[in-house]
Amino acid sequence: MLAVGTRLLRRAAVCALVGVVACEPAAPPERQAPEPSEPLRPPDVRGPIPDGIKLADYVLDASLDAEKHTVSGTARITWRNSTRSPVDALVLHLYMNGFRAEDTAWMAEARGAHRGARQNKGDGKWGYIDVRAARLLAHGPTADFKAPEQRDAAATALTLVEGSDPSLGQLALPQAVGPGEAVTVELDFFTQLPRVFARTGYDGDFHMVGQWYPKLAVRHEDRWQAHVFTLHSEFYADFGDYEVHLDVPEDMVVGATGVQVEARPPENGRKRLSYRAEAVHDFAWAASPDFLEYSDMWRDVRIRQLVPRALAGDVQRHLDAQVAALESMDARFGPYPWSTITIVHPPESAGGAQGMEYPTLFTTSDILRLPLPLRLLGVHELLTGEFTTIHEFGHQYFQGLLASDEATQPWLDEGINSFSNTLALDDWLGADASIARIGNQRVSTVDMIRVALGAGSGLDPVDRPAEVYRDFTGTFGGTVYRKTAAVFHTLRALVGPEKFDRAFRIYCDTWRFRHPTGDDLVAVLLRELGAKVRISETGADGQPIDLDLRDYLEQGLKTTAAVDFKVARIANKRAVGTGGWHRGPDGALALAEAPAPEDEGDEPDEGAGEGFALIVREGEFRVPVELEFEFKDGARERLVWDGQARYRVFTFPGRRLVAVAVDPDDKLLLEGERLDNHMRATGHSKPDGISDPAARFAEAADLALLGGLGL
Amino acid sequence: MNSLRRVTRVPGLWLGLCALQLGLAWCLAQPVGAAVRTAMNGRVWTHPDRLIAALAELLGQSPAIVAVFVAATVASGLLGAALALLVRGGVLLRLHDAGALGTSAWAEFGRASLGNLPVLALIGLYGVVLRLILTFVANALSGSHAVVELVVLIVLLTFATCAGDLAAARRVLHGERGVHPREYLRACVDVARSPRLWLASGALSLTRWAVAGAIILVAVHGVGEAWSSWAARGLACVAMFLALWRVAVAVEASQPRA
Ligand SMILES: [Zn+2]
């Protein structure tokens, strides 16, 4: 007790005294939870798995050479042709070949950098996958991939031909696979992992093994949907069952997709671990002798964290975020179907592996170490750690479960996921949650998306294939992640959260374990919300205001139109008087000497008058918007403008305007520029809300610097 | 005489310098407020807890505000240093001898300030040189460990402050020819040989810096709030008191031994 107390005291003293180093939270003791026996949760919890969705089953048998950082093995793949026409060749992704040379599509776009991580210069610069042999094991209406040994003798040799970009390969079959037929092929592969800088690879003893085996593309009715691996394109594959055997050095702690079903006793310094995963579309694993393991349960789902010792003090914060994400998403988007989720914390030196999702396994990122002075300033942020965990877990739904084609429509993956992340944060921390704080100031989830909207999100529409986004424009994040999220948050706020959430849940329920497209999502929303959604019964002219949903989604997803409204001018003019020459009942002109107007000029302060407000739609995006008018007598009035015209002048006879606010409830998250949404009439001393705090802060900063005049 | 007593018997000096400091900071802050007000141009922001988002947008549109803020802050640093130098002679004299009262006290203060300005500037210059040397020393002492270096540097800087105070006090109060670097070095040696003096002066220096840090904390935790402004002003007066006390420690130490 005493020893601990003294150590703690010393630690605290050092932290307090030095004030510059962050206090490393100590590693808590490891904890284990039992390995789930089944890869899926019980049927009554997770619901049914639709028939016929499993089209690609894999048996992978692989061995890791931790010294050379290579994985060699065989992949036995059974594919079912669910289309209406015969198929005479299989197309395979050889993702690791994206890192094979400078001139691959991936490398040519990346030019040695990915999300800020630089490619290593010396050893381990390149990664590749070499398919050294291929055989046809079985072909027929019911190929049984699980017991293919007896057919080995009859195996027909096949040749895999790499495409013009080596990230794709084609395997011609001696005989076409007819509709409803299945085929089993076996490939011997050798994968050299690169030193990690983009998702996959090694760093010292740490191995993040993703995109490591030959993987089937998806057969659409008329063609293979097989994208060349490029910088922004992620992955797309059919669901299936995976049976994976890994032979690794004895001291490796391994985390993998699915559940571990067998661990053979170590022999000659190696051990063989077997995994099973069901109804997933990829398999990834991580291995390191330095991992500590922390397993916890959320209901019947095992949450397993693998963490280097230096980062182990953060496991509770990641666990809290993971539980919050499960609570929120399981309730909102349907039950999480798998029995496990593994969170891999790459070591600090392997930053390129951070923040990547695979079925039932993802890598998260380190929580930023804040030095003591910043903590004293009240700096607290969820962005570097918790947010990554929530985001990567969100991918278990979008696109782990709703397995859209990430290469063709990345917004269905990153964008819808970003939308779901904000909801999860709000569910966790309360509406309009804070993602970061400093002192008494905060950055809300809304601010986070909005600030990013400005950064080049106006160059490309949301609905674009990943390969169209050039790294050079820097628009991928702002458009695909943030603008998509803003489109759906804005829609949710406009039509009402409950209504939207119900419709969105139907989309999730309909498309689990399937491959929804953008059109599928739009179709569900149109069907469930209606083509015209009533926004308000009282429009600017007393008429009801509807949101044209198709038009809204068209503008939001297919165009670069931006939402931008502005209060351009507010003025109060004197009331129209009765003086002057008018014709009387007898038809003759008569002069009426009405009392002189009480005051002169355009901006009368007292007496009867008329308020004018000019609201301009500066952006091309047409969307209904709420306006709030504040009058001199303290009254406030709200009405909804349909936002279709370029501008509108609102007049209030007999009333004097003090201020006007556009979108007072902050519903239009799509609107990046907010400052011009609220304006006061000239001559009114209402504070602007920023200059006073700025002056106060500047004064305090000056006082701190002057601090006794530096005498 | 006790050094604290030297400060408390001249409350007018403390209050006068506080007023000068508060006035200066307030004046320097006005251009910042005005720049923001001009940029806002009638627009209103209504989320006092979400100023970061508002500033991100505003500064994007009007980056000149940053320049105004930086200029005001730099000016406050420079003016602070200049004023400190300007009043140093008078401060030393008042802390030494609070005899005169009223107008004559202020006249005396002015004379001492202006009369000693050149020589105090020179002593200040020696102080700058010493601080530079100490920075290298701190670097050499602590190798590559940044944190250790910072701690060593802070401790050594209190030494420079104490030596500067002592040299100035001797020159202004006792007519020593502090112009020569030898006199300054003698003050350094005396401080080094008198750990109690260094400790007293150093503790007051450190406390004053801590108070300056507290002003930043208060400013960040209470952005836009009146309590925070008043707390910052109050703390600035405390910092001023600590500065005077520290100088009084040197005045006390400069007294010829009985
Ligand atoms: Zn993502």
Side-chain angles (χ1 to χ4, degrees):
Chain A
M1 271 306 271
L2 189 66
V4 174
T6 321
R7 215 173 59 215
L8 272 179
L9 269 179
R10 210 183 307 138
R11 191 189 202 104
V14 167
C15 290
L17 193 78
V18 170
V20 184
V21 266
C23 300
E24 296 274 331
E30 292 183 87
R31 18 176 217 272
Q32 307 273 343
E35 186 78 29
S37 55
E38 293 294 325
L40 289 158
R41 295 171 80 186
D44 58 323
V45 178
R46 63 156 148 93
I49 294 185
D51 288 338
I53 59 125
K54 293 184 196 170
L55 300 178
D57 295 330
Y58 291 76
V59 179
L60 304 171
D61 197 327
S63 174
L64 171 72
D65 183 332
E67 241 89 86
K68 299 200 176 95
H69 315 293
T70 59
V71 181
S72 52
T74 58
R76 190 172 296 159
I77 309 172
T78 298
W79 177 70
R80 291 171 197 83
N81 182 0
S82 64
T83 69
R84 288 189 292 273
S85 42
V87 172
D88 56 10
L90 302 179
V91 172
L92 291 143
H93 289 287
L94 306 168
Y95 290 117
M96 198 59 84
N97 281 345
F99 308 115
R100 197 169 80 174
E102 286 280 4
D103 59 352
T104 64
W106 200 100
M107 292 294 290
E109 183 67 10
R111 304 287 166 111
H114 181 247
R115 299 197 301 203
R118 302 291 308 177
Q119 187 192 20
N120 190 47
K121 289 256 160 28
D123 279 353
K125 181 171 180 176
W126 309 114
Y128 63 87
I129 178 169
D130 188 23
V131 176
R132 295 179 167 173
R135 296 171 289 280
L136 174 69
L137 294 192
H139 179 185
T142 54
D144 180 4
F145 76 96
K146 286 203 168 106
E149 289 77 4
Q150 61 259 44
R151 301 187 191 88
D152 277 3
T156 316
L158 302 172
T159 312
L160 183 103
V161 180
E162 284 177 2
S164 57
D165 186 86
S167 66
L168 283 175
Q170 179 153 325
L171 201 59
L173 299 169
Q175 219 185 326
V177 186
E181 286 184 351
V183 65
T184 300
V185 295
E186 189 174 69
L187 299 96
D188 299 339
F189 64 93
F190 178 86
T191 299
Q192 171 68 58
L193 299 169
R195 196 182 289 258
V196 72
F197 89 107
R199 303 187 183 97
T200 182
Y202 71 92
D203 184 85
D205 286 336
F206 167 77
H207 293 79
M208 181 65 234
V209 192
Q211 300 95 46
W212 57 289
Y213 60 96
K215 193 175 165 198
L216 273 178
V218 176
R219 180 72 190 185
H220 284 193
E221 203 50 62
D222 53 339
R223 78 205 139 86
W224 283 98
Q225 176 59 21
H227 56 276
V228 168
F229 191 29
T230 57
L231 186 62
H232 294 307
S233 71
E234 286 195 326
F235 313 104
Y236 179 45
D238 278 314
F239 286 96
D241 293 341
Y242 283 71
E243 188 183 311
V244 181
H245 310 280
L246 301 175
D247 168 60
V248 295
E250 191 185 346
D251 59 346
M252 286 287 183
V253 180
V254 176
T257 297
V259 294
Q260 187 182 305
V261 290
E262 196 191 348
R264 287 203 199 148
E267 249 179 69
N268 304 325
R270 314 251 334 153
K271 62 183 176 185
R272 187 176 159 85
L273 308 170
S274 298
Y275 293 86
R276 198 149 57 81
E278 287 179 20
V280 295
H281 48 60
D282 199 0
F283 188 98
W285 52 291
S288 166
D290 302 323
F291 279 146
L292 300 183
E293 179 178 349
Y294 298 88
S295 290
D296 297 272
M297 296 300 293
W298 175 80
R299 299 186 194 162
D300 56 325
V301 177
R302 191 260 318 254
I303 300 169
R304 186 168 183 239
Q305 297 192 65
L306 298 178
V307 201
R309 182 171 295 277
L311 303 173
D314 294 338
V315 288
Q316 189 59 44
R317 283 178 65 177
H318 284 281
L319 177 65
D320 292 345
Q322 174 58 74
V323 167
L326 269 163
E327 289 280 357
S328 167
M329 295 181 186
D330 188 87
R332 282 181 179 279
F333 312 129
Y336 177 70
W338 299 287
S339 61
T340 182
I341 182 76
T342 298
I343 307 173
V344 173
H345 300 246
E348 279 160 296
S349 53
Q354 293 181 347
M356 181 56 202
E357 70 282 4
Y358 302 94
T360 78
L361 177 146
F362 63 84
T363 61
T364 188
S365 55
D366 309 343
I367 293 170
L368 183 70
R369 296 263 169 269
L370 289 170
L372 184 65
L374 289 183
R375 276 179 285 154
L376 287 177
L377 287 175
V379 175
H380 180 71
E381 55 84 34
L382 302 176
L383 265 174
T384 55
E386 286 92 337
F387 183 79
T388 308
T389 288
I390 290 174
H391 178 86
E392 303 310 334
F393 177 75
H395 279 305
Q396 297 301 319
Y397 282 88
F398 312 102
Q399 65 91 258
L401 191 55
L402 287 91
S404 306
D405 178 356
E406 296 179 278
T408 308
Q409 292 185 304
W411 65 275
L412 285 173
D413 163 50
E414 296 297 357
I416 296 295
N417 182 31
S418 297
F419 166 68
S420 82
N421 301 156
T422 319
L423 295 178
L425 278 165
D426 287 356
D427 288 345
W428 183 22
L429 305 168
D432 194 18
S434 302
I435 192 82
R437 290 188 159 277
I438 171 166
N440 67 347
Q441 294 297 307
R442 66 196 195 90
V443 177
S444 70
T445 47
V446 163
D447 296 329
M448 178 180 67
I449 292 176
R450 189 166 271 149
V451 166
L453 272 183
S457 66
L459 292 182
D460 289 298
V462 162
D463 191 7
R464 282 280 157 102
E467 72 211 19
V468 171
Y469 292 93
R470 298 301 309 269
D471 193 42
F472 193 64
T473 61
T475 57
F476 188 75
T479 308
V480 171
Y481 289 68
R482 257 68 73 177
K483 188 177 171 190
T484 308
V487 166
F488 287 92
H489 277 298
T490 302
L491 178 60
R492 183 171 180 265
L494 284 173
V495 305
E498 279 169 30
K499 219 165 154 183
F500 180 89
D501 291 348
R502 207 178 314 118
F504 195 78
R505 175 62 185 263
I506 290 171
Y507 164 70
C508 294
D509 288 346
T510 311
W511 290 98
R512 311 163 54 91
F513 294 110
R514 298 184 193 277
H515 305 290
T517 64
D519 288 345
D520 296 325
L521 170 57
V522 171
V524 172
L525 292 178
L526 280 168
R527 192 181 70 223
E528 297 303 323
L529 296 173
K532 303 259 191 250
V533 191
R534 183 60 42 95
I535 300 294
S536 164
E537 297 297 337
T538 52
D541 302 308
Q543 87 291 18
I545 301 280
D546 289 338
L547 174 76
D548 183 336
L549 186 55
R550 198 185 298 274
D551 179 49
Y552 173 85
L553 290 171
E554 180 78 19
Q555 293 183 80
L557 301 174
K558 311 259 184 194
T559 77
T560 58
V563 173
D564 188 13
F565 292 99
K566 174 185 185 170
V567 186
R569 191 171 170 219
I570 308 172
N572 290 298
K573 294 175 182 287
R574 71 179 190 211
V576 177
T578 52
W581 293 89
H582 296 89
R583 288 197 191 278
D586 56 354
L589 279 171
L591 178 65
E593 284 296 356
E598 285 158 23
D599 36 31
E600 302 294 326
D602 261 7
E603 301 288 346
D605 234 20
E606 298 299 329
E610 184 166 356
F612 289 74
L614 169 62
I615 312 296
V616 177
R617 176 172 60 77
E618 294 200 308
E620 294 306 314
F621 203 119
R622 290 161 287 100
V623 62
V625 60
E626 194 163 19
L627 308 169
E628 185 178 82
F629 299 91
E630 190 183 337
F631 299 97
K632 191 147 188 260
D633 56 10
R636 285 164 196 260
E637 203 168 279
R638 285 194 178 194
L639 48 87
V640 176
W641 175 38
D642 65 11
Q644 297 296 314
R646 180 53 77 184
Y647 72 90
R648 179 163 175 139
V649 175
F650 293 85
T651 56
F652 299 92
R655 308 184 75 177
R656 286 167 186 282
L657 274 171
V658 174
V660 179
V662 175
D663 188 28
D665 293 338
D666 219 354
K667 288 182 176 174
L668 303 181
L669 182 48
L670 261 175
E671 185 174 19
E673 290 188 6
R674 300 293 297 182
L675 275 180
D676 57 10
N677 278 28
H678 196 147
M679 201 174 180
R680 56 163 190 248
T682 33
H684 283 277
S685 55
K686 192 173 169 150
D688 61 39
I690 305 184
S691 60
D692 181 55
R696 283 181 190 278
F697 186 81
E699 184 189 341
D702 294 344
L703 283 174
L705 257 183
L706 285 163
L709 283 179
L711 259 170
Chain B
M1 191 191 294
N2 181 317
S3 51
L4 178 59
R5 177 83 189 89
R6 288 183 182 276
V7 184
T8 50
R9 69 186 172 156
V10 284
L13 178 67
W14 174 54
L15 290 173
L17 289 174
C18 284
L20 182 65
Q21 174 182 233
L22 296 184
L24 197 63
W26 187 86
C27 289
L28 285 167
Q30 294 319 298
V32 177
V36 173
R37 210 169 297 119
T38 309
M40 285 297 281
N41 190 24
R43 298 177 295 177
V44 179
W45 181 257
T46 50
H47 307 281
D49 61 337
R50 280 170 50 200
L51 291 172
I52 295 170
L55 283 173
E57 194 181 331
L58 185 67
L59 298 181
Q61 296 162 0
S62 316
I65 293 171
V66 180
V68 175
F69 180 81
V70 170
T73 314
V74 170
S76 72
L78 294 177
L79 277 173
L83 278 171
L85 187 63
L86 191 65
V87 300
R88 203 166 161 82
V91 166
L92 283 164
L93 191 69
R94 295 293 298 156
L95 290 174
H96 173 66
D97 175 15
L101 283 170
T103 327
S104 71
W106 286 109
E108 206 177 66
F109 179 89
R111 253 196 319 277
S113 293
L114 292 176
N116 289 297
L117 190 55
V119 65
L120 288 177
L122 196 64
I123 291 176
L125 203 65
Y126 295 154
V128 172
V129 175
L130 178 64
R131 283 176 175 86
L132 273 176
I133 294 168
L134 291 178
T135 308
F136 287 115
V137 171
N139 188 278
L141 280 181
S142 37
S144 59
H145 207 301
V147 174
V148 177
E149 181 177 345
L150 192 69
V151 173
V152 171
L153 183 65
I154 287 172
V155 171
L156 289 182
L157 288 184
T158 62
F159 177 85
T161 307
C162 184
D165 286 348
L166 187 61
R170 283 174 174 169
R171 174 65 182 85
V172 173
L173 306 177
H174 309 293
E176 288 187 13
R177 298 196 312 280
V179 184
H180 198 282
R182 199 174 49 232
E183 299 302 320
Y184 188 79
L185 281 175
R186 199 167 64 81
C188 289
V189 171
D190 288 347
V191 172
R193 285 208 306 224
S194 167
R196 284 185 59 185
L197 170 63
W198 183 6
L199 196 69
S201 167
L204 289 166
S205 284
L206 287 177
T207 315
R208 183 165 69 86
W209 293 337
V211 171
I215 292 177
I216 294 292
L217 288 189
V218 159
V220 171
H221 281 279
V223 171
E225 294 178 38
W227 70 261
S228 145
S229 287
W230 285 110
R233 290 167 193 152
L235 285 168
C237 294
V238 172
M240 176 59 74
F241 188 88
L242 292 167
L244 289 176
W245 190 357
R246 195 203 70 230
V247 176
V249 166
V251 170
E252 185 69 26
S254 75
Q255 302 300 317
R257 300 272 164 252

